[in-house]
Amino acid sequence: MKRPDVTTTSTRAGSVASTISFSNVDGPGNRFVVFLQGCNFDCVACHNPQTIPVFQQVVHGDGHERARYQRSVDEVLAEIRRAAPFISGITVSGGEAMLQPEFVRDLFTAVKADPTLQRLTCYVDSNGSCDDATWDVVTAVTDGTMIDLKCFDDTIHREMTGQSNGPVLRSIERLQSMGLLHEVRLLVLAGVNDDNALLHRTGEWLAAIDPHMRLKVIGFRAHGARPHDPPLVEPTAERRQAIADLLHTIAPFDICVV
Amino acid sequence: MDVNEFEARAHALVTDGTLGYDQKVRRLASLATEMLPYPILSTECQEALDARVICDMYEGNAPFTARYILPDYEKAIRNGLTHLEMPPPTTLDDALAFLMVMYGNVPSVTTYPVYLGDLDKVLAPFVTDEISDAQLDAALRRFWISIDRILPDAFVHTDLGPNDSRIARSVFRVERSLRQAVPNITLKVDPELTPDDLVEEGVRTVFETGKPHFVNHPMMVADHGERYAAVSCYNSLKIGGGAHTLVRMNLKEVALRHLAADDASLDAFLATTLPHYTELTAELAEARIRSLVEQQHFYDTHWLATEGLIDIDRFSAMFGIFGLAECVNLLMSAQGLDGRYGHDDDADALSRRVVERVAELVAVRPMPYCAGGGGHCYLHSQSGIDLDHDVTAGTRIPVGDEPGMLDHITTCAPHHHLFASGVSDIFHVDETAVRNPQAVVDIIRGAFSTGMRDFTFNLDSNEFVRITGYLVRKSDLAAIAAHEGARHGSDLLASGSEESFHLTQRAVKRIGCHERTVQ
């Protein structure tokens, strides 16, 4: 087997679901991605529902076992060093990255302190639900954030995620004002959050913050998501493009449709 | 071959309903040389050749052209051509017409030129500020269509870079609009000289047409000097020179023969078996080189040589190896170890011992008329021909068995510095990269900074499929399967691979096949 080159001095540990060496869908360029375990949202459309519980259910021998996936900053750094020549940066995702702000801070700090890694940018991919004080733990060492806006309507947001969107909207505004907002992701769930009038209000709110904002319109994909009654519906490619076109009538957003 | 077999094969060619006229003429010529005696080989060398442990790429019995020729087009343009009665061109249109005439007179084993010049440099004197981008695109577009129709062979190759230029950018625009298999393209990349956005232009062009191939310019310059080019598929050679021939050793077959021997130990493999077959391969190369140079007098008689556009002192021969993956896995199993190449540190370490041993042996084996390689063959990771079965091209990890891209690169990269004349590993990039070409630029830069020489990637679901380094369109393969024939000679080679390996059904996962002379 392949042996990672670990020279651990073991600092802070995080609950890490998994890592991937190369990703081209988690921020600018090629990125090493750390998926942290545990999320405070319980989204009906989540395509990685196994990362929601703080404890991960693992099959061990003949029975099930609850286990935390602990990895130290140094262990993750050793993996990043292998990928470093090939990437633009690292992204911490989840689960919800900002449930472990100290781990994120220490990981980013370590990257920026290492002469061989300091050119890498450090991004957070978050549901945007944490408060200012929590963001303030990481912002000094963070180069950019990507925030999901599940729905601009709070009632629908609560139905989709189990939580209010108030903190999410606050995060988007504040991160933008700090120059740390790379992208806002708009998840589209056909028949749930894709009403044209609602999308129009969403676009106007975003345009007031930054008319050139980078938006990613992401169609819900059933693959990986938990079964739901009634079944959740994937928007068609035409519908996703129509949503992008609608948003473009509001402001010159930089829109990517996936 | 006796006369009856000759007659039967010639008859089959002339009556073939799918081959075009030119394709028949070229095959008939190739068939004719098979009636001539083969260069004299030792009994052991002949047996190894007959058993295809070593291979001459079916170049023919009496080589009468160098396999790969890289004429000095810049010199030709500067001085004009006596033999072809072409004065030096003075305008872009003249230069393009001049080159087209010259291409028709540059030989190779495929009969088509494998090198069209570093066109950004060759054409630079003619692309003045008075010529707009639109005019440049229109001129190159006509030129590109002519190349594809007149030289219908995907081994026809041009190089660009490492410096940025209007010509390079125009070529990429034209490529994306035409989507032709011919010509093949290499972009030379130097981290100091090549801007990221030019590499990105290249990456965007790969998304459309599967081209260009990327090479590590500083590493190439260290081996060949500034005047080198990548030609045909993945063969890096000196401009004004080239390769007399290409011979290759099947490491899988060498390993199988070793394991059947009395002393089947790993030490004996490295100390005895590998040197033995390396020498037989070298003997084959030497016999073919001497035949070309001393019997057929190619370099004494061809106009490219007499006009100083090629120089025998800038030639060498290519010593190819393939089947490393099977070789390593067989040797691992024989030691009771189950690690596989590309998936296991010990297997990967063994792969490096094998390749380094061959490199060491080739580097000390004197080879006549090979001043271009310092009196030795260039080592080459040979990417297969259409007749290869159950053996992996070059030093690649078998198709379908590739690990994640980072492990794939770190397995292959340590071999690359040893293969002066090229090594091909093809990486697969999924569709999501189209929205993030910078991600591929990152990987290319990383690959070169960690010692890779050549980098090629395929986009899954592309219409273009890379076979070894040359490209075919899936729709053209489908036409051959429907017995409609093919305009490109290389499509017919690819079709052989396709029938053997069902290449198109494996998305863009590629298989072995290489130029097997004129099929």
Side-chain angles (χ1 to χ4, degrees), chain A residues 157-180:
Chain A
H157 191 276
R158 285 171 192 272
E159 285 168 12
M160 287 176 69
T161 70
Q163 304 285 332
S164 167
N165 68 9
V168 180
L169 302 180
R170 162 77 187 161
S171 291
I172 290 171
E173 282 180 310
R174 186 160 179 268
L175 290 166
Q176 169 63 29
S177 72
M178 299 171 80
L180 291 179

PDB file of all heavy atoms in Angstrom, chain A residues 157-180:
ATOM      1  N   HIS A 157     -36.751  28.173   4.126  1.00  0.00           N
ATOM      2  CA  HIS A 157     -35.421  27.812   4.608  1.00  0.00           C
ATOM      3  C   HIS A 157     -35.516  26.875   5.818  1.00  0.00           C
ATOM      4  O   HIS A 157     -34.801  25.875   5.913  1.00  0.00           O
ATOM      5  CB  HIS A 157     -34.627  29.073   4.965  1.00  0.00           C
ATOM      6  CG  HIS A 157     -33.170  28.822   5.216  1.00  0.00           C
ATOM      7  ND1 HIS A 157     -32.671  28.411   6.436  1.00  0.00           N
ATOM      8  CD2 HIS A 157     -32.090  28.909   4.382  1.00  0.00           C
ATOM      9  CE1 HIS A 157     -31.352  28.277   6.343  1.00  0.00           C
ATOM     10  NE2 HIS A 157     -30.974  28.570   5.109  1.00  0.00           N
ATOM     11  N   ARG A 158     -36.438  27.194   6.722  1.00  0.00           N
ATOM     12  CA  ARG A 158     -36.609  26.338   7.905  1.00  0.00           C
ATOM     13  C   ARG A 158     -37.110  24.961   7.499  1.00  0.00           C
ATOM     14  O   ARG A 158     -36.687  23.950   8.059  1.00  0.00           O
ATOM     15  CB  ARG A 158     -37.607  26.980   8.877  1.00  0.00           C
ATOM     16  CG  ARG A 158     -37.047  28.159   9.642  1.00  0.00           C
ATOM     17  CD  ARG A 158     -38.172  28.879  10.428  1.00  0.00           C
ATOM     18  NE  ARG A 158     -37.740  30.165  10.947  1.00  0.00           N
ATOM     19  CZ  ARG A 158     -37.146  30.319  12.147  1.00  0.00           C
ATOM     20  NH1 ARG A 158     -36.945  29.281  12.936  1.00  0.00           N
ATOM     21  NH2 ARG A 158     -36.764  31.514  12.544  1.00  0.00           N
ATOM     22  N   GLU A 159     -38.003  24.905   6.504  1.00  0.00           N
ATOM     23  CA  GLU A 159     -38.506  23.597   6.046  1.00  0.00           C
ATOM     24  C   GLU A 159     -37.380  22.793   5.407  1.00  0.00           C
ATOM     25  O   GLU A 159     -37.292  21.573   5.566  1.00  0.00           O
ATOM     26  CB  GLU A 159     -39.627  23.792   5.011  1.00  0.00           C
ATOM     27  CG  GLU A 159     -40.948  24.235   5.623  1.00  0.00           C
ATOM     28  CD  GLU A 159     -41.932  24.702   4.554  1.00  0.00           C
ATOM     29  OE1 GLU A 159     -41.677  24.475   3.345  1.00  0.00           O
ATOM     30  OE2 GLU A 159     -42.973  25.295   4.942  1.00  0.00           O
ATOM     31  N   MET A 160     -36.498  23.496   4.696  1.00  0.00           N
ATOM     32  CA  MET A 160     -35.436  22.782   3.968  1.00  0.00           C
ATOM     33  C   MET A 160     -34.293  22.343   4.872  1.00  0.00           C
ATOM     34  O   MET A 160     -33.642  21.329   4.616  1.00  0.00           O
ATOM     35  CB  MET A 160     -34.853  23.680   2.857  1.00  0.00           C
ATOM     36  CG  MET A 160     -35.779  23.858   1.658  1.00  0.00           C
ATOM     37  SD  MET A 160     -35.041  25.010   0.475  1.00  0.00           S
ATOM     38  CE  MET A 160     -33.647  24.028  -0.133  1.00  0.00           C
ATOM     39  N   THR A 161     -34.022  23.150   5.923  1.00  0.00           N
ATOM     40  CA  THR A 161     -32.794  22.919   6.695  1.00  0.00           C
ATOM     41  C   THR A 161     -33.022  22.674   8.172  1.00  0.00           C
ATOM     42  O   THR A 161     -32.122  22.237   8.878  1.00  0.00           O
ATOM     43  CB  THR A 161     -31.858  24.141   6.601  1.00  0.00           C
ATOM     44  OG1 THR A 161     -32.452  25.225   7.334  1.00  0.00           O
ATOM     45  CG2 THR A 161     -31.623  24.567   5.156  1.00  0.00           C
ATOM     46  N   GLY A 162     -34.228  23.058   8.642  1.00  0.00           N
ATOM     47  CA  GLY A 162     -34.480  22.971  10.072  1.00  0.00           C
ATOM     48  C   GLY A 162     -34.012  24.200  10.837  1.00  0.00           C
ATOM     49  O   GLY A 162     -34.136  24.249  12.061  1.00  0.00           O
ATOM     50  N   GLN A 163     -33.439  25.189  10.152  1.00  0.00           N
ATOM     51  CA  GLN A 163     -32.909  26.377  10.830  1.00  0.00           C
ATOM     52  C   GLN A 163     -33.333  27.637  10.085  1.00  0.00           C
ATOM     53  O   GLN A 163     -33.616  27.611   8.890  1.00  0.00           O
ATOM     54  CB  GLN A 163     -31.370  26.324  10.851  1.00  0.00           C
ATOM     55  CG  GLN A 163     -30.766  25.084  11.475  1.00  0.00           C
ATOM     56  CD  GLN A 163     -30.849  25.085  12.998  1.00  0.00           C
ATOM     57  OE1 GLN A 163     -30.873  26.146  13.629  1.00  0.00           O
ATOM     58  NE2 GLN A 163     -30.917  23.906  13.590  1.00  0.00           N
ATOM     59  N   SER A 164     -33.279  28.762  10.800  1.00  0.00           N
ATOM     60  CA  SER A 164     -33.558  30.071  10.201  1.00  0.00           C
ATOM     61  C   SER A 164     -32.415  30.495   9.294  1.00  0.00           C
ATOM     62  O   SER A 164     -31.261  30.118   9.502  1.00  0.00           O
ATOM     63  CB  SER A 164     -33.734  31.117  11.304  1.00  0.00           C
ATOM     64  OG  SER A 164     -33.696  32.433  10.746  1.00  0.00           O
ATOM     65  N   ASN A 165     -32.734  31.341   8.278  1.00  0.00           N
ATOM     66  CA  ASN A 165     -31.665  31.808   7.393  1.00  0.00           C
ATOM     67  C   ASN A 165     -31.050  33.139   7.866  1.00  0.00           C
ATOM     68  O   ASN A 165     -30.154  33.670   7.223  1.00  0.00           O
ATOM     69  CB  ASN A 165     -32.146  31.922   5.950  1.00  0.00           C
ATOM     70  CG  ASN A 165     -33.175  33.036   5.741  1.00  0.00           C
ATOM     71  OD1 ASN A 165     -33.418  33.839   6.643  1.00  0.00           O
ATOM     72  ND2 ASN A 165     -33.768  33.079   4.562  1.00  0.00           N
ATOM     73  N   GLY A 166     -31.554  33.667   8.998  1.00  0.00           N
ATOM     74  CA  GLY A 166     -31.053  34.960   9.491  1.00  0.00           C
ATOM     75  C   GLY A 166     -29.534  35.011   9.585  1.00  0.00           C
ATOM     76  O   GLY A 166     -28.886  35.897   9.006  1.00  0.00           O
ATOM     77  N   PRO A 167     -28.919  34.056  10.278  1.00  0.00           N
ATOM     78  CA  PRO A 167     -27.455  34.088  10.407  1.00  0.00           C
ATOM     79  C   PRO A 167     -26.743  33.935   9.053  1.00  0.00           C
ATOM     80  O   PRO A 167     -25.659  34.493   8.846  1.00  0.00           O
ATOM     81  CB  PRO A 167     -27.147  32.888  11.310  1.00  0.00           C
ATOM     82  CG  PRO A 167     -28.416  32.595  12.035  1.00  0.00           C
ATOM     83  CD  PRO A 167     -29.528  32.978  11.093  1.00  0.00           C
ATOM     84  N   VAL A 168     -27.365  33.218   8.117  1.00  0.00           N
ATOM     85  CA  VAL A 168     -26.745  32.998   6.801  1.00  0.00           C
ATOM     86  C   VAL A 168     -26.667  34.321   6.048  1.00  0.00           C
ATOM     87  O   VAL A 168     -25.620  34.686   5.486  1.00  0.00           O
ATOM     88  CB  VAL A 168     -27.539  31.964   5.970  1.00  0.00           C
ATOM     89  CG1 VAL A 168     -26.886  31.744   4.607  1.00  0.00           C
ATOM     90  CG2 VAL A 168     -27.692  30.654   6.736  1.00  0.00           C
ATOM     91  N   LEU A 169     -27.800  35.062   6.057  1.00  0.00           N
ATOM     92  CA  LEU A 169     -27.830  36.354   5.361  1.00  0.00           C
ATOM     93  C   LEU A 169     -26.821  37.309   6.003  1.00  0.00           C
ATOM     94  O   LEU A 169     -26.094  38.043   5.309  1.00  0.00           O
ATOM     95  CB  LEU A 169     -29.243  36.941   5.404  1.00  0.00           C
ATOM     96  CG  LEU A 169     -30.347  36.062   4.781  1.00  0.00           C
ATOM     97  CD1 LEU A 169     -31.699  36.759   4.874  1.00  0.00           C
ATOM     98  CD2 LEU A 169     -30.034  35.711   3.324  1.00  0.00           C
ATOM     99  N   ARG A 170     -26.751  37.272   7.317  1.00  0.00           N
ATOM    100  CA  ARG A 170     -25.800  38.116   8.053  1.00  0.00           C
ATOM    101  C   ARG A 170     -24.356  37.754   7.631  1.00  0.00           C
ATOM    102  O   ARG A 170     -23.531  38.624   7.371  1.00  0.00           O
ATOM    103  CB  ARG A 170     -26.004  37.898   9.558  1.00  0.00           C
ATOM    104  CG  ARG A 170     -24.867  38.354  10.448  1.00  0.00           C
ATOM    105  CD  ARG A 170     -24.860  39.856  10.617  1.00  0.00           C
ATOM    106  NE  ARG A 170     -23.661  40.277  11.334  1.00  0.00           N
ATOM    107  CZ  ARG A 170     -23.189  41.515  11.313  1.00  0.00           C
ATOM    108  NH1 ARG A 170     -23.792  42.442  10.600  1.00  0.00           N
ATOM    109  NH2 ARG A 170     -22.112  41.826  12.002  1.00  0.00           N
ATOM    110  N   SER A 171     -24.059  36.467   7.538  1.00  0.00           N
ATOM    111  CA  SER A 171     -22.705  36.026   7.163  1.00  0.00           C
ATOM    112  C   SER A 171     -22.343  36.520   5.765  1.00  0.00           C
ATOM    113  O   SER A 171     -21.226  36.989   5.527  1.00  0.00           O
ATOM    114  CB  SER A 171     -22.594  34.498   7.198  1.00  0.00           C
ATOM    115  OG  SER A 171     -22.664  34.023   8.521  1.00  0.00           O
ATOM    116  N   ILE A 172     -23.290  36.405   4.833  1.00  0.00           N
ATOM    117  CA  ILE A 172     -23.019  36.814   3.444  1.00  0.00           C
ATOM    118  C   ILE A 172     -22.678  38.305   3.410  1.00  0.00           C
ATOM    119  O   ILE A 172     -21.681  38.723   2.809  1.00  0.00           O
ATOM    120  CB  ILE A 172     -24.230  36.478   2.539  1.00  0.00           C
ATOM    121  CG1 ILE A 172     -24.339  34.961   2.365  1.00  0.00           C
ATOM    122  CG2 ILE A 172     -24.105  37.181   1.185  1.00  0.00           C
ATOM    123  CD1 ILE A 172     -25.606  34.488   1.668  1.00  0.00           C
ATOM    124  N   GLU A 173     -23.504  39.120   4.095  1.00  0.00           N
ATOM    125  CA  GLU A 173     -23.259  40.571   4.107  1.00  0.00           C
ATOM    126  C   GLU A 173     -21.915  40.893   4.739  1.00  0.00           C
ATOM    127  O   GLU A 173     -21.134  41.694   4.218  1.00  0.00           O
ATOM    128  CB  GLU A 173     -24.358  41.277   4.914  1.00  0.00           C
ATOM    129  CG  GLU A 173     -25.663  41.426   4.160  1.00  0.00           C
ATOM    130  CD  GLU A 173     -26.725  42.135   5.001  1.00  0.00           C
ATOM    131  OE1 GLU A 173     -26.953  41.726   6.166  1.00  0.00           O
ATOM    132  OE2 GLU A 173     -27.325  43.077   4.484  1.00  0.00           O
ATOM    133  N   ARG A 174     -21.652  40.273   5.861  1.00  0.00           N
ATOM    134  CA  ARG A 174     -20.451  40.632   6.628  1.00  0.00           C
ATOM    135  C   ARG A 174     -19.184  40.148   5.921  1.00  0.00           C
ATOM    136  O   ARG A 174     -18.190  40.882   5.816  1.00  0.00           O
ATOM    137  CB  ARG A 174     -20.537  40.028   8.031  1.00  0.00           C
ATOM    138  CG  ARG A 174     -19.406  40.477   8.932  1.00  0.00           C
ATOM    139  CD  ARG A 174     -19.756  40.276  10.400  1.00  0.00           C
ATOM    140  NE  ARG A 174     -18.660  40.690  11.256  1.00  0.00           N
ATOM    141  CZ  ARG A 174     -17.705  39.868  11.693  1.00  0.00           C
ATOM    142  NH1 ARG A 174     -17.726  38.591  11.325  1.00  0.00           N
ATOM    143  NH2 ARG A 174     -16.750  40.321  12.476  1.00  0.00           N
ATOM    144  N   LEU A 175     -19.213  38.930   5.394  1.00  0.00           N
ATOM    145  CA  LEU A 175     -18.024  38.403   4.705  1.00  0.00           C
ATOM    146  C   LEU A 175     -17.727  39.235   3.461  1.00  0.00           C
ATOM    147  O   LEU A 175     -16.567  39.490   3.124  1.00  0.00           O
ATOM    148  CB  LEU A 175     -18.220  36.926   4.350  1.00  0.00           C
ATOM    149  CG  LEU A 175     -18.228  35.979   5.563  1.00  0.00           C
ATOM    150  CD1 LEU A 175     -18.777  34.609   5.165  1.00  0.00           C
ATOM    151  CD2 LEU A 175     -16.823  35.841   6.164  1.00  0.00           C
ATOM    152  N   GLN A 176     -18.792  39.659   2.763  1.00  0.00           N
ATOM    153  CA  GLN A 176     -18.591  40.509   1.596  1.00  0.00           C
ATOM    154  C   GLN A 176     -17.916  41.817   2.010  1.00  0.00           C
ATOM    155  O   GLN A 176     -16.962  42.272   1.360  1.00  0.00           O
ATOM    156  CB  GLN A 176     -19.949  40.787   0.921  1.00  0.00           C
ATOM    157  CG  GLN A 176     -19.915  41.879  -0.142  1.00  0.00           C
ATOM    158  CD  GLN A 176     -19.026  41.529  -1.327  1.00  0.00           C
ATOM    159  OE1 GLN A 176     -18.873  40.341  -1.640  1.00  0.00           O
ATOM    160  NE2 GLN A 176     -18.421  42.518  -1.952  1.00  0.00           N
ATOM    161  N   SER A 177     -18.394  42.402   3.108  1.00  0.00           N
ATOM    162  CA  SER A 177     -17.821  43.685   3.539  1.00  0.00           C
ATOM    163  C   SER A 177     -16.359  43.515   3.955  1.00  0.00           C
ATOM    164  O   SER A 177     -15.575  44.458   3.890  1.00  0.00           O
ATOM    165  CB  SER A 177     -18.635  44.269   4.691  1.00  0.00           C
ATOM    166  OG  SER A 177     -18.409  43.507   5.868  1.00  0.00           O
ATOM    167  N   MET A 178     -15.992  42.310   4.354  1.00  0.00           N
ATOM    168  CA  MET A 178     -14.598  42.045   4.744  1.00  0.00           C
ATOM    169  C   MET A 178     -13.736  41.610   3.554  1.00  0.00           C
ATOM    170  O   MET A 178     -12.544  41.349   3.703  1.00  0.00           O
ATOM    171  CB  MET A 178     -14.552  40.949   5.821  1.00  0.00           C
ATOM    172  CG  MET A 178     -15.284  41.328   7.104  1.00  0.00           C
ATOM    173  SD  MET A 178     -15.440  39.919   8.237  1.00  0.00           S
ATOM    174  CE  MET A 178     -13.805  39.924   8.976  1.00  0.00           C
ATOM    175  N   GLY A 179     -14.362  41.511   2.377  1.00  0.00           N
ATOM    176  CA  GLY A 179     -13.604  41.076   1.195  1.00  0.00           C
ATOM    177  C   GLY A 179     -13.303  39.588   1.191  1.00  0.00           C
ATOM    178  O   GLY A 179     -12.370  39.140   0.543  1.00  0.00           O
ATOM    179  N   LEU A 180     -14.096  38.823   1.918  1.00  0.00           N
ATOM    180  CA  LEU A 180     -13.806  37.382   2.044  1.00  0.00           C
ATOM    181  C   LEU A 180     -14.850  36.484   1.380  1.00  0.00           C
ATOM    182  O   LEU A 180     -14.810  35.275   1.526  1.00  0.00           O
ATOM    183  CB  LEU A 180     -13.705  37.009   3.532  1.00  0.00           C
ATOM    184  CG  LEU A 180     -12.492  37.558   4.279  1.00  0.00           C
ATOM    185  CD1 LEU A 180     -12.543  37.137   5.752  1.00  0.00           C
ATOM    186  CD2 LEU A 180     -11.185  37.051   3.642  1.00  0.00           C
TER     187      LEU A 180
END
